Amino acid sequence: NVSFTTKDNIKIRGWLIISKKANGTVIIGHGYPFDKGNILPVAKFLYPDYNLLFYDHRYFGESSGRISTLGLKEVEDVNAAVEFVRNRFGDNEDIALYGFSLSASAMLMSKQDVDAIIADSAYADLEMMVEHVFSIFGPLKFIFAKSMNIVSKLFLGTSPRYISPANSIKDSKTAILVIHGSKYSHIPVDNAYKLKASNPSIELWIVE
């Protein structure tokens, strides 16, 4: 059991699994609305080739925090996790970020100087996701989307259009692999193609 604190004073709790054979450390984040325990069975195959750091994003699992910001402030959780690993293993440690959904999006926006990012089912920008969520209301979706925009400005201090992994990775030189299911309904595959379009150098794996 480990813990570390973000710059905005959120206590993040996690599990650090150390391997004597490790060739680096993989920081593994979970999706919404889950926690580190949910994603452990999916990513444990990386052991013993790497040290593994599983962590709970703010508000979820054992971490503190009163709300989830769907990626905006979760970037600070990622930054704190990377800093924790560097403090533990040294500045020369090879580090990869491996995220799902919420954490994948936050990792793409973190702009951390890491060796690789694996982003499974990330959204390209939050505005695109808001429109998708409210699409069930047909022509009224624009009213709900506009309301969401106002709420976001009040509570997060910014508009969903500015919460954008696609914009964040435009000039990234980091090795990035984007994975997405072609029939994944919660975050449509169009998001993966938009990420690829924003930075053609990333690798894209669409799972049928």
Side-chain angles (χ1 to χ4, degrees):
N1 291 306
V2 297
S3 64
F4 41 90
T5 304
T6 66
K7 286 186 177 180
D8 56 344
N9 206 35
I10 298 295
K11 179 74 75 174
I12 302 297
R13 299 187 184 277
W15 296 325
L16 178 63
I17 304 174
I18 298 176
S19 169
K20 294 181 180 179
K21 300 179 181 179
N23 294 310
T25 298
V26 183
I27 299 172
I28 302 163
H30 60 82
Y32 182 100
F34 304 108
D35 60 25
K36 60 186 181 298
N38 171 265
I39 214 64
L40 175 65
V42 180
K44 66 182 181 180
F45 74 92
L46 293 164
Y47 182 88
D49 294 327
Y50 304 96
N51 302 312
L52 306 181
L53 174 61
F54 294 85
Y55 69 94
D56 289 328
H57 271 297
R58 61 186 60 209
Y59 177 70
F60 295 109
E62 298 177 304
S63 293
S64 67
R66 298 169 63 182
I67 62 169
S68 170
T69 64
L70 304 180
L72 177 62
K73 294 186 178 180
E74 282 73 14
V75 169
E76 294 298 337
D77 306 346
V78 178
N79 293 341
V82 172
E83 183 177 358
F84 170 82
V85 169
R86 287 186 174 137
N87 289 338
R88 184 67 178 257
F89 297 107
D91 291 336
N92 294 324
E93 177 78 354
D94 290 333
I95 299 174
L97 307 178
Y98 187 9
F100 297 81
S101 184
L102 168 64
S103 60
S105 304
M107 287 171 175
L108 291 175
M109 291 189 288
S110 69
K111 297 187 177 181
Q112 280 288 331
D113 183 19
V114 294
D115 297 278
I117 301 175
I118 303 96
D120 190 328
S121 307
Y123 63 75
D125 60 63
L126 193 55
E127 186 175 49
M128 186 175 180
M129 276 302 303
V130 169
E131 290 181 0
H132 169 69
V133 169
F134 291 128
S135 63
I136 59 172
F137 297 107
L140 296 177
K141 71 176 183 179
F142 297 106
I143 297 175
F144 288 101
K146 185 66 175 179
S147 300
M148 182 66 179
N149 193 48
I150 295 171
V151 170
S152 178
K153 287 181 178 178
L154 285 173
F155 289 96
L156 303 181
T158 188
S159 168
R161 73 180 60 183
Y162 299 118
I163 306 174
S164 175
N167 287 338
S168 296
I169 65 171
K170 275 185 177 180
D171 301 315
S172 176
K173 304 300 181 184
T174 302
I176 299 174
L177 170 63
V178 170
I179 306 170
H180 218 102
S182 64
K183 297 180 181 179
Y184 185 41
S185 60
H186 296 297
I187 302 177
V189 71
D190 290 350
N191 286 268
Y193 290 119
K194 186 171 182 177
L195 289 169
K196 175 68 173 177
S198 71
N199 187 336
S201 68
I202 70 174
E203 291 189 52
L204 181 61
W205 178 20
I206 304 298
V207 182
E208 297 298 332

